[in-house]
Amino acid sequence: MNRLWFAVIFIITAFAVCFYEQAYTENFCREIDSKASLAIQALNENDNGKYYECIKDMDNLWKKKNDMVYSVNNHVLVDELSFKINSAYGRKEKVYEIKAVAYAIRENNKIKLSNIL
């Protein structure tokens, strides 16, 4: 009977960790995407100050959350996101690439049969 309870508690814990990781990654990618959208809007308005502020916000968000993001996601995509954020200060076309990589991380992390198999 104790083994059965242990198995039930283990499965519940595994599901809880899985859903937490999903929510954390989704929230992180959504925040990056919204900041990148604001940066694109600033580019369209030729507001360089607002653009650099958005990039700095993305960089601060990255520094704040990168440990957890690295622990639950594909390192290649996460490294690429880090590189693109750091290189967006001097090259404005990188913002579109940041949005694409954030979308790829979000899609690769979703619980889908194709991601499991």
Side-chain angles (χ1 to χ4, degrees), residues 10-65:
F10 182 78
I11 289 172
I12 290 171
T13 303
F15 276 114
V17 169
C18 180
F19 286 118
Y20 174 75
E21 173 262 334
Q22 291 285 306
Y24 191 90
T25 301
E26 181 70 26
N27 183 36
F28 172 74
C29 290
R30 190 175 299 125
E31 286 182 60
I32 289 289
D33 189 58
S34 69
K35 291 179 188 315
S37 294
L38 289 173
I40 290 170
Q41 182 181 3
L43 281 176
N44 292 336
E45 296 170 356
N46 292 324
D47 188 354
N48 288 335
K50 186 177 177 184
Y51 169 78
Y52 286 113
E53 181 182 326
C54 292
I55 298 300
K56 186 173 176 140
D57 288 346
M58 275 192 281
D59 196 23
N60 289 337
L61 177 66
W62 170 252
K63 288 176 183 172
K64 179 180 171 186
K65 296 191 173 188

Side-chain angles (χ1 to χ4, degrees), residues 37-104:
S37 294
L38 289 173
I40 290 170
Q41 182 181 3
L43 281 176
N44 292 336
E45 296 170 356
N46 292 324
D47 188 354
N48 288 335
K50 186 177 177 184
Y51 169 78
Y52 286 113
E53 181 182 326
C54 292
I55 298 300
K56 186 173 176 140
D57 288 346
M58 275 192 281
D59 196 23
N60 289 337
L61 177 66
W62 170 252
K63 288 176 183 172
K64 179 180 171 186
K65 296 191 173 188
N66 71 351
D67 290 336
M68 181 65 167
V69 172
Y70 265 113
S71 66
V72 297
N73 288 295
N74 181 350
H75 291 267
V76 174
L77 288 173
V78 176
D79 285 338
E80 187 175 347
L81 181 64
S82 172
F83 175 74
K84 301 241 185 263
I85 289 172
N86 289 326
S87 64
Y89 280 107
R91 300 176 60 197
K92 296 179 180 179
E93 67 274 0
K94 292 289 182 185
V95 180
Y96 294 101
E97 295 174 14
I98 290 170
K99 285 179 67 80
V101 173
Y103 178 78

